[in-house]
Amino acid sequence: MGNSKIRNTSLTLKIVASIILTLLAAYTSMGLVKATETNNTYVPSSLRELYAKRAVETFNSLQAHYYLSGLNLYRGLTCGKYSCLWTYSQVMSAVVYLALTPSLGNFTTLFSSYYSGLSHYANPINPLSGYESTVTPPLGPGGDTYYDDNEWVTLALIDMYLITNNTSYLNRAEELFNFIISGWSSNSSLRCPGGIYWRVGDLSRNTCSNSPAAEAAAELYLITGDQSYLRWAIRILNWVNKCLGSPSHLYYDHINPDGTIDETIWSYNQGTTAAAAALIYEATHNESYLKLAEDSAYSSLSYFSQGAIYSQPPEFNAIYFRSIRKVITISNNNTLAKMYWNLLLQYVNNTWLTYRDQETGLITMGQPLSSVNPDDVEIWTAAMVQLYSLIAGAQQPALTPIKAPRPSQAWLTTSTTLVLILVAAIAIAIYLILKGVKH
């Protein structure tokens, strides 16, 4: 009888132990305990050090030639006296990626200046809405409001929050996202109804105004646990995949108001779509989204490795490479990682001499600095600073959930459920052990 009890207790303990190990494996796979992909395997330390130096020197040159420190703005031409918001957003991302690179100094101290500079693009009537494309009164005339411009700012603000834990950046990112989804089309007469418009008052629906929104929504969900963000991320990505996806797993540019599709293949559209899919997989563990991310990344890396990467603007490529980096970090796909680093290193090494103004180090695409629009020089230079930082070791910050759940957040998330089951299993095991000792 005693031996039977021991055997039964032993069997039960083995079952409980198996459950605990399974739960721990699930907990790890959810990203709560997850290894981070690094570039150490693909980039020699000497090259990392070289591009760390180049990133800082190039950024310093940008600041010296165009930054207006009293206003936290940049000189411009396309949008008037000051740079366009599109340009400003990519300089923000350059500062973010410098801050994410080890041993480059504390670039996080610049975040507050850029956050302050954004206020010059705010809608003077409704500051909580989206930023305008041009500096607004009293410094500038103001301009159209583009949903994609505000998405690039949102992604930068999310990174700034993750790096500093300053909730002002997160709160503003959430406000901007609410503005972004106000651009979702409810016009059922349009081809492939749905999607976020490119610009306020325009009926064009672009990949660049949808995939970054899905990417931002997935990141906001992973940070806040608010289910509405996840629903939006899935809704937006599914629309892009259905309405702008091609048979080759590449994504077209936009649907015109008349229903015709511009089938141009731009690098940033491929990157943001793949990143959104990978982040949704990270949030849901639905394997179909991982497959979508990997198929998209593989197709685009194959396509751009044939030379097409050089026909793309540097700012598109910077967004592309930083987005695909998210995919390979989440997927841990060694084939994709190898393709990614080969293409990135080839692109940056080949353009180091041909894109730069030799005297200043600014990116002029081979043209004399004096003949190039300041907005172009700024956005091209900011783009290459991002890429130099990636090679130097910039790491995407972990999407750490906030400590306190939001009111709209379900109190019992998947991770919470696993924790409770794990605790219960351990408690049962302890009880059985004590019971066995007693008898």
Side-chain angles (χ1 to χ4, degrees):
M1 187 72 174
N3 289 337
S4 176
K5 283 185 178 181
I6 292 172
R7 283 196 300 271
N8 290 339
T9 300
S10 176
L11 179 61
T12 304
L13 286 172
K14 287 180 180 178
I15 293 172
V16 171
S18 177
I19 293 171
I20 292 172
L21 290 172
T22 300
L23 289 170
L24 283 172
Y27 203 68
T28 299
S29 69
M30 287 178 66
L32 302 171
V33 181
K34 185 172 183 176
T36 303
E37 182 270 342
T38 70
N39 66 354
N40 293 350
T41 304
Y42 304 95
V43 184
S45 60
S46 59
L47 201 58
R48 292 198 300 273
E49 292 170 5
L50 175 63
Y51 275 101
K53 181 181 178 182
R54 288 177 174 179
V56 174
E57 289 178 349
T58 306
F59 178 74
N60 288 343
S61 186
L62 174 64
Q63 299 300 86
H65 284 81
Y66 297 107
Y67 186 57
L68 303 170
S69 58
L71 296 171
N72 300 312
L73 290 172
Y74 287 82
R75 292 196 291 116
L77 181 62
T78 303
C79 295
K81 186 177 179 180
Y82 307 104
S83 69
C84 304
L85 178 63
W86 163 229
T87 301
Y88 196 82
S89 72
Q90 296 313 298
V91 178
M92 285 180 66
S93 291
V95 176
V96 163
Y97 274 79
L98 287 166
L100 290 170
T101 307
S103 73
L104 288 192
N106 189 9
F107 281 90
T108 59
T109 58
L110 300 180
F111 287 0
S112 60
S113 297
Y114 287 90
Y115 188 59
S116 173
L118 279 174
S119 65
H120 296 303
Y121 296 90
N123 183 318
I125 298 173
N126 182 10
L128 295 182
S129 69
Y131 295 112
E132 297 186 15
S133 57
T134 301
V135 167
T136 57
L139 293 180
D144 290 333
T145 302
Y146 291 81
Y147 292 105
D148 66 325
D149 284 355
N150 283 276
E151 290 162 21
W152 308 126
V153 172
T154 299
L155 288 167
L157 288 171
I158 290 171
D159 282 341
M160 287 162 60
Y161 161 72
L162 292 170
I163 295 167
T164 65
N165 205 34
N166 183 334
T167 55
S168 296
Y169 304 141
L170 176 62
N171 293 339
R172 184 60 182 137
E174 293 188 279
E175 289 172 353
L176 285 177
F177 185 77
N178 286 333
F179 162 72
I180 289 162
I181 57 176
S182 73
W184 182 264
S185 173
S186 58
N187 188 338
S188 60
S189 67
L190 295 175
R191 176 180 179 175
C192 212
I196 297 170
Y197 294 119
W198 178 46
R199 178 179 61 189
V200 174
D202 190 306
L203 295 181
S204 172
R205 290 158 297 151
N206 294 39
T207 303
C208 72
S209 57
N210 282 274
S211 292
E215 186 180 353
E219 290 188 346
L220 287 171
Y221 167 72
L222 288 165
I223 293 168
T224 68
D226 188 329
Q227 293 285 336
S228 66
Y229 290 130
L230 181 58
R231 288 193 292 271
W232 270 112
I234 293 171
R235 183 183 189 185
I236 297 167
L237 180 64
N238 287 350
W239 182 86
V240 172
N241 202 43
K242 174 185 175 183
C243 300
L244 286 165
S246 77
S248 61
H249 301 294
L250 297 174
Y251 292 87
Y252 301 136
D253 188 58
H254 66 272
I255 304 177
N256 290 304
D258 63 4
T260 58
I261 294 180
D262 183 326
E263 297 186 355
T264 306
I265 302 298
W266 294 114
S267 55
Y268 70 158
N269 288 334
Q270 317 314 313
T272 54
T273 306
L279 287 160
I280 292 173
Y281 164 73
E282 184 83 342
T284 63
H285 291 274
N286 183 328
E287 293 286 338
S288 66
Y289 288 106
L290 179 61
K291 184 177 187 305
L292 175 59
E294 291 183 327
D295 287 348
S296 174
Y298 182 83
S299 294
S300 66
L301 287 166
S302 299
Y303 176 78
F304 290 118
S305 293
Q306 303 304 312
I309 196 72
Y310 298 100
S311 67
Q312 305 283 315
E315 62 272 29
F316 286 11
N317 287 340
I319 293 170
Y320 172 71
F321 282 114
R322 74 188 200 218
S323 300
I324 296 297
R325 178 66 183 275
K326 294 180 183 181
V327 176
I328 63 175
T329 299
I330 291 170
S331 70
N332 289 319
N333 185 314
N334 291 331
T335 299
L336 291 180
K338 185 176 180 180
M339 293 173 69
Y340 170 85
W341 286 110
N342 284 344
L343 180 59
L344 174 56
L345 291 172
Q346 180 189 75
Y347 173 73
V348 172
N349 287 330
N350 287 348
T351 57
W352 170 250
L353 293 177
T354 56
Y355 281 10
R356 291 171 60 254
D357 175 71
Q358 298 300 309
E359 183 179 343
T360 64
L362 295 168
I363 307 302
T364 62
M365 305 296 285
Q367 306 168 66
L369 179 61
S370 59
S371 68
V372 186
N373 184 329
D375 274 280
D376 290 337
V377 177
E378 289 159 10
I379 200 167
W380 295 340
T381 303
M384 298 311 290
V385 169
Q386 293 172 47
L387 297 183
Y388 299 162
S389 298
L390 280 171
I391 295 172
Q395 294 290 326
Q396 187 67 24
L399 288 161
T400 307
I402 56 175
K403 294 180 180 178
R406 297 295 175 87
S408 59
Q409 181 180 344
W411 77 273
L412 194 60
T413 63
T414 304
S415 57
T416 307
T417 303
L418 282 175
V419 170
L420 292 175
I421 295 173
L422 185 59
V423 170
I426 292 171
I428 292 170
I430 293 172
Y431 169 76
L432 290 171
I433 291 170
L434 293 175
K435 185 177 179 182
V437 170
K438 183 176 178 180
H439 294 284

